[in-house]
Amino acid sequence: MNIMDFNMKKLAADAGTFLSRAVQFTEEKLGQAEKTELDAHLENLLCKAECTKLWTEKVMKQTEVLLQPNPNARMEEFVYEKLDRKAPSRVNNPELLGQHMIDAGNEFGPGTAYGNALIKCGETEKRIGGADRELIQTAAINFLTPLRNFIEGDYKTITRERKLLQNKRLDLDAAKTRLKKAKVAEARAASEQEVRIAQSEFDRQAEITRLLLEGISSTHAHHLRCLNDFVEAQMTYYAQCYQYMLDLQKQLGSFPSTFLANNNQSTTTCIPSSSNTTAAASSASVTASLSSLSNVAATTSFGELKTSSGSRKARVLYDYDAANSTELSLLADEVITVYSIPGMDSDWLMGERGNQKGKVPITYLELLN
């Protein structure tokens, strides 16, 4: 027998097997043939594997969105990964913002308060950008890669073996059907032998598939360790960002005391004349007087409301989160009704918004006429 004849016979056998499986599958769907059911344990393992695959894909995709919100950048990284090439390094958003701040600060002058503040903020933003880059790299290696390896490796193997199990099951049921239809004793003997062989191959494939599926528990344990690594990377990132911003806040906290000195050290403005200096001092004095009068008026208004039994409308100046159930949370710029009740602390009023009521701090309010 030459190679061509062997190949032709193999193709004919494969075609016959495929046709037999197709007929069996169709008759099962139409309810015209019996179907060998998998045992409950194997069915549960299959469901667990499918559930693991589904949610692993969703978690992996959303993690990629979290680490790289730009869809175009994600697509570019995907293409480079498929081409087995390293994606070009790009400046991330915090680094870009930081560079703009530094450039602006140098343009305005490092010796000015605003210019100096911009440079310090820019340097901090660039450090945050570096921390962000480290988070992405760590998460990709310790979290995303193991998840992707499961989807593209282990689960593909499970899918392949599951498909083989399905084919072996169809072969077994097709053999059983032929045994039922056999009339001649010789044909029945051949069919019985075929059923025994098909049953053996089905049992062997079911065992292989079961062993692979039981490995899903180990996969969960491995992914749990990867999840801990991801959480630790995020903790490190947020701790770094917090420390960077804390240091920046301390640096900027010294600016108010030097602001006037920096503004007076201008090389592009002339020294003000004595008349301008006098006018500026007079203007500052008037502003301070008006501010003082305004504070006195506001205090008087709240005092009158405290002693009266009426209510007033008030505008909220800042957001306020209630500390307990006796207080009312506030949103900046909303208008509420306020009034006093006997025995209430001098720094508080009762506030109402619709059906909600509670104590509100006076310092967060501005009474309306």
Side-chain angles (χ1 to χ4, degrees), residues 47-84:
C47 290
K48 184 177 181 181
E50 289 178 356
C51 183
T52 301
K53 184 253 187 183
L54 173 67
W55 286 108
T56 299
E57 285 181 331
K58 289 187 176 183
V59 169
M60 184 172 65
K61 182 178 180 180
Q62 200 55 43
T63 303
E64 291 172 345
V65 173
L66 172 68
L67 297 176
Q68 178 50 268
N70 188 333
N72 293 330
R74 289 201 306 274
M75 179 58 67
E76 181 183 356
E77 291 172 358
F78 175 78
V79 171
Y80 274 100
E81 181 181 347
K82 290 302 178 183
L83 295 175
D84 199 19

Side-chain angles (χ1 to χ4, degrees), residues 21-63:
R21 291 170 180 170
V23 170
Q24 178 66 28
F25 182 80
T26 303
E27 289 180 350
E28 287 176 358
K29 291 297 182 182
L30 296 175
Q32 298 174 354
E34 295 181 2
K35 175 182 177 182
T36 300
E37 299 293 342
L38 302 177
D39 66 80
H41 178 60
L42 188 56
E43 287 285 3
N44 289 335
L45 290 175
L46 287 170
C47 290
K48 184 177 181 181
E50 289 178 356
C51 183
T52 301
K53 184 253 187 183
L54 173 67
W55 286 108
T56 299
E57 285 181 331
K58 289 187 176 183
V59 169
M60 184 172 65
K61 182 178 180 180
Q62 200 55 43
T63 303

Side-chain angles (χ1 to χ4, degrees), residues 21 35-39 42-43 46 157-173 198-213:
R21 291 170 180 170
K35 175 182 177 182
T36 300
E37 299 293 342
L38 302 177
D39 66 80
L42 188 56
E43 287 285 3
L46 287 170
T157 302
I158 291 173
T159 302
R160 183 173 62 251
E161 296 301 327
R162 182 181 180 179
K163 185 176 180 181
L164 284 174
L165 178 62
Q166 171 74 350
N167 289 338
K168 296 299 181 183
R169 202 269 308 160
L170 289 171
D171 291 342
L172 172 60
D173 288 337
Q199 183 71 57
S200 174
E201 291 182 351
F202 171 76
D203 292 341
R204 178 176 176 275
Q205 186 59 41
E207 182 65 15
I208 292 173
T209 306
R210 182 186 63 79
L211 291 174
L212 282 173
L213 291 171

